[in-house]
Amino acid sequence: MAPAAQTRIPSRHVIAFATTSWLALSAVAVPGVATADSVAAGPAAVAQALPSGMIWRLGDMVLQVTALRDDVVRVRVGRNGSLPEDASWAVLPAARRASVAVTGFSTADAVGFSTRALKVAVSRRDGGVTVTDRTGRVLLSDLDGAMVPDRRGDGFTMTKSIPDDAHYFGLGDKFGPLDRLGRSFVMWNTDSYGYQEGQDPLYKDIPFFIGYTKGGYYGMFLDNSWRTSFDFGKTRRGELAIGADGGPVDYYVLAGPDPKDVERAYAWLTGTPAMQPLWTLGFQQSRWGYPTEKDVRAIVARLRHDRIPTDAIWLDIDYQQHYRPFTVDAKTFPAFGKMVSDFTAQGVHTVAITDLHIADLPNAGYAPYDSGMAQDRFVKTADGKPYVAPVWPGPTLFPDFTQAATRAWWGTLYRQFYLQDGISGFWNDMDEPAIFDTPTKTMPLDNRHRIDEPGFAARVASHREIHNLYGMQNHRATYEGLLALKPDERPFVMTRASYAGGQRYGVTWTGDNSSTWNHLRLTIPMLESLGLGGFTFSGADIGGFAGSASANLLTKWIEVAMFTPIARDHSDEQSLPQEPWVGGTAQEDIRRRFIEARYRLLPYLYTVAEEAARTGIPMMRPLFMEFPAGLLDGTPLDLATDSQFMLGRALMVAAPPSPESPGPYSVTLPVGGWYDYWTGKPVTNLKPLSLWGAGGLFMTLKDTGPTAPHTLGITPRLDQLPVFVRAGSIIPRQNLVQSTGETPAGPLQLDVYPGADCQGSLYADDGHSFAFRHGAYSRTALSCTLEADHGVTVTIGRPEGSFQPWWHSYRIVVHGLAHAPRGVAGATYDGAAGSASFVVPANGTAATYRLR
């Protein structure tokens, strides 16, 4: 097996150290790193400006620190006088090549540099790296030098200090509380059917977290695809231990200090989420256990008959011939193409599963096998033979997705489904990769992958290195393949396994969850964590996949899921049915009402989705992202509640912390005023927030009015979900439709909730193409002002872009009015609701309306 590519550091450009102390500092000439001839050779030297960063050597170890932006620094550690190959599956090439000027410094204890946003100091004693922000707040600080090699292999450990007030969020789809402090995790993509709390690892490797300390937030991303681990003070209090079985020490520190700044920087590094078609925000029905075309048609017919708004029907492996990918069982699905077109005519998109395992079927006319073998597209064993292992079709082979040519070949396999049959989207499952009849649940670690990829040195890599990348590259191959077949259409591809940066290729979900109340409860922090890691377009199987949901559990799960990015009802073939009508008319009526609420909210959801795809700020957000000032001294609000989340800037969903319990609970309301989403009325009867510790109640926050968080008591009901609107928000809504393909009747509604910094946005495009990249979109800024005389001024900006949306008028509804207003002709006042409404034209010009 060829060794990993390395960058040799020329000795004439490096200060060699005779002892274990960092005695001097020199800029080093190395490809891709701008340097100066020399800098700060002693503690008394004067700091000077440098083009990018610095490299140091300690014995046979090399340390490179580079400022990519003022707020992003990269740290790399190499051995044997070399740095690892400068290539990444996650970080974009333009980001890795970026640099900013830095100012060097030297003291008796440390050498380093600073930018306008952060400072990096390298200890002369042991080479430990400390990164502080512009306020002097320590973000990350090594305890035992930059890296401790694993003497038993090629691995390493980094140990960093944990401040007394620290908290950590992220790492993707980890099942448990949002805060990772005091817990440890392994990053190794694993098929985890019916996983339970505490089970780790799960399906994805997203080695990125957001840290909190002293009122500020920062991020750290470890770009290492090998099996890695993160121990947030579980083993040793006050120590953050990060280790790997192999691969590079290559990590990035993102200075923040606002959590949105961190998310934007992470998106700059690894890419923004792929913008999804509008229909993917609609309700979607699925099940492993629709065995025939007749069964699938009956499900779609019932959805339409019962007037349950729906945009997609999913096909699991039932439709395939002997579970072979890219086949259709003609006996059970005799008119497959016509079925798909019939659904399309009803406004229902079809999504089909296409697992990556190709059946080992020589001389059987199975095209994926024949073409793949002819082109040598499959993973090899350690002795160079095609690797064959059992999955759903029986003996199967596995495409070698680290080759660009293999990904291109894979994409061609979708031609019939995508171009002829009209399937709208695809689902890559089992791509950890999952293998049957083996205790490891995956392929041997010495299997061979051939890396043949632009930006990488051509070489052979073991599965130890590629395992965590495999699902991401499968996802990428499908996404890019669909893009090649329809260059002007946004692909929809869902994957179960992935790596950081995989958000560039589409959608994911939380895997084979369970039909339990605890899984519903922990779905919220799980989806929030995926969003922090870039995967904003995520969902969980509504009702749970493994096991059977009770009627009440399914109802409550649907309620919560209608406020998450992807809303798919999916279940196991061994579970009881869990379509929206299961459990009787009363349950169906509640579920329908919440699905309808989602469809009315689609203009807001699509606006938030576009913001996520453009900036990297997720749709579903922890409270700390919108309210970083938080609790005491900026402590994250989410520590007071793990069942609440923000959907965009304006909406807060407050699901019960124990959803199975009939007992009352308290909702934490962050600073500022709030309105009840369902009634439009301002929230009253607030109480000061009480904080609880392990020993009981330890503090009740002083009631300082809108400048302090409060609580609101809630008595749960099956047919209700508390949702609140942040004062100072404008939310666009539409009249009810049965699918996103149906044009809503009447005007677009703008619900105005007066308050401080009142703002909103409205985005639209054609919902399916990339024309928005060339200006074919419509983005309108919305704002309002609460006057001293209690009057309200509403301003609708002039739309940006060339796209003409469906609406021709606005119905403006202003909430929170104590009396009938004056000033706008035709305005009507609803005294019971405390709101006034009026209709104005949407003629493409800016306009201001004042209610007195």
Side-chain angles (χ1 to χ4, degrees), residues 22 64-65 76-77 284 353 355 386 442 512 553 567 577 601 609 676 682 698 753 766 789 838 843 851:
W22 296 80
Q64 179 191 53
V65 187
R76 304 172 69 204
V77 182
Q284 305 178 43
I353 197 170
D355 289 336
T442 195
D512 295 343
L553 173 58
L601 195 58
D676 186 303
F698 66 87
Y753 303 87
D766 65 18
D789 63 356
F838 54 95
N843 53 17
L851 297 175

Side-chain angles (χ1 to χ4, degrees), residues 84 154 212 290 335-336 373 387 404 490 551 559 670 751 783:
D154 297 324
Y212 163 87
Y290 296 149
F336 186 78
M373 287 298 288
Y387 172 69
R490 302 173 212 168
E559 292 174 9
D751 284 281
S783 64

Side-chain angles (χ1 to χ4, degrees), residues 279-491:
W279 65 263
T280 65
L281 295 180
F283 177 67
Q284 305 178 43
Q285 182 61 50
S286 180
R287 178 175 172 83
W288 175 24
Y290 296 149
T292 69
E293 178 182 325
K294 180 179 179 181
D295 294 315
V296 180
R297 285 183 177 274
I299 295 296
V300 173
R302 179 71 183 269
L303 288 164
R304 285 290 177 249
H305 176 271
D306 287 9
R307 297 193 61 78
I308 298 171
T310 306
D311 264 87
I313 186 74
W314 289 59
L315 305 178
D316 209 316
I317 57 177
D318 311 90
Y319 79 93
Q320 298 170 338
Q321 184 180 30
H322 303 300
Y323 302 147
R324 298 166 188 164
F326 303 102
T327 66
V328 175
D329 190 331
K331 294 181 180 178
T332 53
F333 287 80
F336 186 78
K338 186 175 186 308
M339 178 193 72
V340 174
S341 64
D342 288 347
F343 293 163
T344 302
Q346 298 176 67
V348 177
H349 297 260
T350 302
V351 180
I353 197 170
T354 50
D355 289 336
L356 54 81
H357 37 254
I358 299 299
D360 185 20
L361 285 176
N363 306 313
Y366 181 42
Y369 172 88
D370 293 340
S371 61
M373 287 298 288
Q375 297 180 36
D376 191 22
R377 293 293 162 227
F378 299 112
V379 173
K380 303 293 181 63
T381 61
D383 58 4
K385 299 177 182 178
Y387 172 69
V388 180
V391 199
W392 293 117
T396 62
L397 299 109
F398 299 82
D400 196 359
F401 291 117
T402 51
Q403 299 178 86
T406 296
R407 297 196 302 274
W409 159 78
W410 174 263
T412 66
L413 301 180
Y414 288 89
R415 181 176 297 275
Q416 173 67 39
F417 280 168
Y418 202 40
L419 299 184
Q420 275 74 49
D421 293 326
I423 294 175
S424 297
F426 297 92
W427 170 19
N428 294 150
D429 202 356
M430 306 291 289
D431 53 355
E432 288 74 29
I435 309 292
F436 293 168
D437 302 333
T438 174
T440 67
K441 298 185 178 182
T442 195
M443 63 177 62
L445 299 184
D446 60 357
N447 271 6
R448 301 171 62 186
H449 300 262
R450 292 155 289 172
I451 296 178
D452 187 1
E453 169 77 8
F456 287 76
R459 59 185 175 89
V460 173
S462 73
H463 191 68
R464 287 183 177 86
E465 176 183 351
I466 302 303
H467 176 85
N468 282 337
L469 298 166
Y470 193 73
M472 174 194 186
Q473 296 307 305
N474 175 207
H475 195 196
R476 175 186 181 184
T478 306
Y479 180 88
E480 293 178 346
L482 299 183
L483 201 57
L485 293 171
K486 292 184 180 181
D488 295 326
E489 293 293 313
R490 302 173 212 168

Side-chain angles (χ1 to χ4, degrees), residues 538-616:
S538 300
D541 288 344
I542 295 174
F545 180 73
S548 298
S550 68
N552 286 357
L553 173 58
L554 178 59
T555 295
K556 189 55 68 176
W557 207 315
I558 286 177
E559 292 174 9
V560 175
M562 292 308 106
F563 294 90
T564 64
I566 300 296
R568 181 184 73 151
D569 182 348
H570 182 56
S571 54
D572 189 345
E573 67 168 354
Q574 298 179 21
S575 66
L576 295 175
Q578 57 187 44
E579 289 76 27
W581 49 82
V582 172
T585 302
Q587 297 277 4
E588 182 183 11
D589 289 345
I590 299 171
R591 299 164 188 165
R592 182 192 298 106
R593 179 161 58 84
F594 277 86
I595 295 172
E596 289 175 345
R598 182 180 181 89
Y599 275 76
R600 290 190 175 96
L601 195 58
L602 277 172
Y604 176 77
L605 290 175
Y606 197 58
T607 299
V608 176
E610 188 275 337
E611 179 191 14
R614 177 168 42 87
T615 69

Side-chain angles (χ1 to χ4, degrees), residues 56-89:
W56 298 266
R57 173 176 283 168
L58 176 62
D60 68 346
M61 290 176 53
V62 177
L63 170 66
Q64 179 191 53
V65 187
T66 309
L68 307 183
R69 303 193 325 185
D70 283 328
D71 60 341
V72 178
V73 66
R74 183 185 186 187
V75 180
R76 304 172 69 204
V77 182
R79 309 180 204 179
N80 302 317
S82 300
L83 286 171
E85 177 186 13
D86 189 5
S88 175
W89 301 96

Side-chain angles (χ1 to χ4, degrees), residues 116-130:
R116 288 179 292 184
L118 52 77
K119 178 181 178 181
V120 178
V122 179
S123 168
R124 291 183 180 275
R125 179 179 58 83
D126 60 7
V129 178
T130 298

